């Protein structure tokens, strides 16, 4: 089995609270983002971009999540408050993949959105190839206009995913995968 297939067969999501540092170096991050951006992109629109959240910015993002949560639910208990504050600090690096799909005369928005999803997957594979663990999450913040605006997104931009990257501190068991026979059909000749 070649190295790429072996890597893809071992890919697992690791909960960010079970990650530690060090995170990627600046050169490794450049490699990860470069590989992430090498996806199908009909029309060469680059309908995505990255927001890197690292260092103290992870705490600021968590404080922002807590602030918005409290505005909506001032009666949050301590456990819920702590969960909001900790959303971005588990992994040493979080990259928000921003989908900036927009109307185009030839390229359907759906294809642009799919391209952003491919960016997320390429990022995970690139991080894994460099020896890191990576997890693709969204959460309510991805859908909240206040949060998106606060991290610098324009009104039409959406978060395809928050990719958490770090070193796993625990072994993750594989979850059951659907049998291929249940998810594949063959179009008849």
């Amino acid at each position: 089995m070649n190295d790429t297939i072996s890597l893809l067969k071992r890919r697992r999501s690791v909960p960010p609270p079970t990650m530690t540092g060090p995170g990627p170096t600046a050169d490794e991050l450049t490699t990860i983002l470069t590989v992430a951006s090498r996806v199908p992109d009909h029309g060469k629109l680059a309908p995505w971009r990255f927001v890197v959240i690292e260092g103290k910015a992870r705490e600021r993002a968590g404080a922002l999540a807590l602030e918005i949560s409290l505005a909506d639910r001032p009666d949050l208990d301590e456990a819920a408050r702590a969960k909001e504050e900790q959303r971005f600090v588990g992994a040493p690096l979080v990259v928000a993949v921003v989908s900036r799909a927009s109307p185009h005369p030839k390229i359907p928005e759906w294809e642009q959105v799919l391209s952003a999803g491919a960016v997320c997957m390429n990022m995970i594979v690139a991080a894994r190839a460099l020896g890191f663990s990576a997890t693709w999450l969204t959460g309510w913040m991805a859908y909240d206009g206040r949060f998106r605006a606060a991290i610098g997104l324009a009104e039409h931009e959406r978060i395809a995913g928050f990719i958490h990257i770090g070193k796993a501190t625990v072994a993750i068991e594989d979850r059951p995968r659907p049998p291929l026979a249940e998810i594949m059909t063959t179009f008849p000749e």
Side-chain angles (χ1 to χ4, degrees), residues 7 13 32 40 47 59 71 75 89 91 93 121-122 124 128 157 160 177 186:
L7 179 134
S13 293
I32 290 167
E59 293 171 9
D75 59 338
V89 298
L93 172 69
M121 194 64 217
N122 264 18
I124 288 170
R128 183 71 181 103
E157 293 180 316
R177 307 291 173 162
T186 302

Side-chain angles (χ1 to χ4, degrees), residues 42-57:
H42 189 190
K44 301 177 191 84
L45 302 176
W48 26 256
R49 66 183 184 88
F50 308 112
V51 177
V52 175
I53 306 169
E54 60 186 338
K56 296 276 187 203

Side-chain angles (χ1 to χ4, degrees), residues 38-91:
R38 292 187 59 87
V39 296
D41 175 13
H42 189 190
K44 301 177 191 84
L45 302 176
W48 26 256
R49 66 183 184 88
F50 308 112
V51 177
V52 175
I53 306 169
E54 60 186 338
K56 296 276 187 203
R58 296 172 308 135
E59 293 171 9
R60 286 186 45 235
L64 175 62
L66 175 59
E67 178 183 319
I68 293 170
S69 290
L70 286 171
D72 292 344
R73 297 170 308 209
D75 59 338
L76 278 182
D77 64 29
E78 285 306 311
R81 288 171 187 238
K83 180 179 178 181
E84 297 302 342
E85 282 185 316
Q86 299 299 308
R87 283 196 181 272
F88 295 95
V89 298

Side-chain angles (χ1 to χ4, degrees), residues 68-69 72 139-150 153 159:
I68 293 170
S69 290
D72 292 344
W140 66 264
M141 304 82 50
Y143 305 100
D144 189 281
R146 298 164 295 180
F147 188 89
R148 291 192 318 261
L153 274 63
I159 295 173

Side-chain angles (χ1 to χ4, degrees), residues 16 27 29 34 43 58 72 97 109 121 128 153 167 184:
D27 286 344
L29 178 57
T34 299
R58 296 172 308 135
D72 292 344
V97 176
E109 284 185 59
M121 194 64 217
R128 183 71 181 103
L153 274 63
K167 299 283 186 175
M184 183 191 88

